[in-house]
Amino acid sequence: MKIMSPSVDQTSPDTLSADAIKQSLRTRWIGQPAIHSLDVVESTNAEANRLAQDGAPEGTLIVANAQTKGRGRLGRTWVSPPVSGLYLSIVLRPAHPPDWFPKLMLTAGVAVASAIQQIGTTPQLKWPNDILIGDRKVGGILTEAVFNKTRIDFAVLGIGINVNTKQDELPVSIRNLATSLRLGLGKRVSRIDLLQILLHQVEQWYESLDTGAFPTILETWSEFDTTLGRVVEVFLPERRVVGIAEALHQDGTLLVRDKRDCLHRIVAGDVVHCHLDP
Ligand code: BT5
């Protein structure tokens, strides 16, 4: 008896084989040096880090049908059920000092939101790395880098999106917090079409970042934003800040004003949107 696994069904029109991706690639450099299309991998980011350490050029793309140890931030997990989601990482070699690196996450958020908008629904961005539809998480971004004091050796941009994911493919613990494009739009979405749009958007927005257009990126971020103006609780390694998310600083950090009128600049942290007064 032949056992069919959906994750290896290469006849499916939604296959993410390297050939299929290459055929309709609309980018100039992302995916051009190499596309590693894997059926199952622990984490595309881990794989991209490994390839980058071995000298993989900028634009190297790693895509997987499923991840067994998909990474979130701070050691958390990205649940990555087979075939229904997009899990990808891109190797970048920015010629910038390390303080440029945090801008990459917000830039990627704008690229992901713009790509999702092109397929028919407008998502929201929750600072710093969440993509939401109707208050539920549909995607997340994980940026990682290796750098010394003066320069970035390489960066890895990882993107996970629940595309055709059904509720029962997700663990009960996140079912009420998560959604997918299919659930949001009420119809299936072609992963390969979305991937092509997404790679093109990432390339365009990354190039604007590279040429100094971060203020424009922040403006576009604000159009998708769902954090600003809300009461937020921010969890930092050694303290907690509660206040109003007032603005994005020009470097992309979040400014939160607490009830004593003290302004906190949040560089990285976990933000919870509250429904309370500060
Ligand atoms: C993120 O982390 O949101 C970054 C996710 C990045 C995933 C991509 S997939 C391709 C690439 N390779 C990797 O190994 N990773 C990247 P964070 O902000 O820490 O959010 C993690 C939290 O999101 C978890 O603790 C859950 O609460 C929730 N979560 C996990 N899986 C989810 C899913 N599939 N859909 C919605 N929420 C999820």
Side-chain angles (χ1 to χ4, degrees):
M1 188 176 82
K2 196 173 169 202
I3 299 173
M4 293 291 288
S5 155
S7 59
V8 291
D9 180 5
Q10 295 296 313
T11 60
S12 151
D14 201 23
T15 177
L16 294 180
S17 70
D19 280 348
I21 297 170
K22 233 178 258 163
Q23 262 172 28
S24 44
L25 206 55
R26 291 160 49 191
T27 51
R28 287 192 303 111
W29 53 271
I30 293 182
Q32 297 296 353
I35 298 174
H36 299 262
S37 172
L38 308 161
D39 191 34
V40 184
V41 68
E42 284 195 354
S43 149
T44 57
N45 260 41
E47 193 62 19
N49 271 285
R50 195 182 58 72
L51 289 164
Q53 296 277 12
D54 287 350
E58 177 154 84
T60 300
L61 172 68
I62 299 93
V63 183
N65 253 330
Q67 298 184 116
T68 53
K69 288 189 186 160
R71 293 184 192 164
R73 293 176 306 145
L74 309 166
R76 288 185 294 240
T77 302
W78 185 256
V79 178
S80 314
V83 183
S84 55
L86 262 187
Y87 317 113
L88 67 117
S89 302
I90 302 164
V91 173
L92 299 168
R93 296 195 177 272
H96 293 283
D99 63 0
W100 171 95
F101 175 65
K103 297 177 180 170
L104 179 60
M105 188 175 269
L106 298 190
T107 305
V110 167
V112 176
S114 305
I116 292 177
Q117 196 170 39
Q118 280 193 25
I119 61 151
T121 184
T122 301
Q124 298 86 45
L125 291 173
K126 174 171 170 262
W127 191 92
N129 72 321
D130 288 347
I131 298 101
L132 310 179
I133 292 181
D135 262 355
R136 289 179 179 226
K137 189 155 169 172
V138 73
I141 292 160
L142 177 66
T143 51
E144 295 175 308
V146 170
F147 41 73
N148 60 35
K149 274 196 182 133
T150 54
R151 57 180 279 270
I152 300 174
D153 189 9
F154 66 82
V156 167
L157 166 60
I159 300 172
I161 303 177
N162 300 329
V163 183
N164 294 310
T165 319
K166 300 192 195 113
Q167 290 286 4
D168 61 5
E169 289 179 274
L170 300 170
V172 177
S173 56
I174 62 165
R175 233 172 249 176
N176 292 332
L177 307 172
T179 189
S180 68
L181 296 179
R182 181 184 187 162
L183 290 167
L185 280 159
K187 60 173 189 193
R188 276 190 76 80
V189 173
S190 154
R191 286 186 309 163
I192 195 147
D193 289 352
L194 175 64
L195 177 67
Q196 301 296 5
I197 296 170
L198 178 62
L199 295 178
H200 187 242
Q201 286 294 328
V202 171
E203 186 170 285
Q204 302 277 307
W205 286 105
Y206 181 80
E207 285 178 3
S208 358
L209 174 65
D210 210 32
T211 54
F214 193 57
T216 313
I217 293 167
L218 283 184
E219 256 174 52
T220 312
W221 206 95
S222 304
E223 287 165 20
F224 290 107
D225 161 80
T226 180
T227 299
L228 299 179
R230 289 176 85 145
V231 178
V232 293
E233 190 171 8
V234 187
F235 293 91
L236 302 165
E238 274 154 20
R239 66 198 171 102
R240 190 181 70 106
V241 173
V242 178
I244 307 258
E246 197 169 273
L248 288 180
H249 188 263
Q250 60 194 16
D251 61 5
T253 52
L254 182 69
L255 301 176
V256 176
R257 191 176 295 279
D258 69 18
K259 63 179 177 194
R260 286 173 300 140
D261 211 21
C262 187
L263 198 60
H264 303 261
R265 199 170 138 224
I266 313 294
V267 178
D270 262 337
V271 173
V272 176
H273 291 163
C274 307
H275 300 280
L276 337 151
D277 293 330

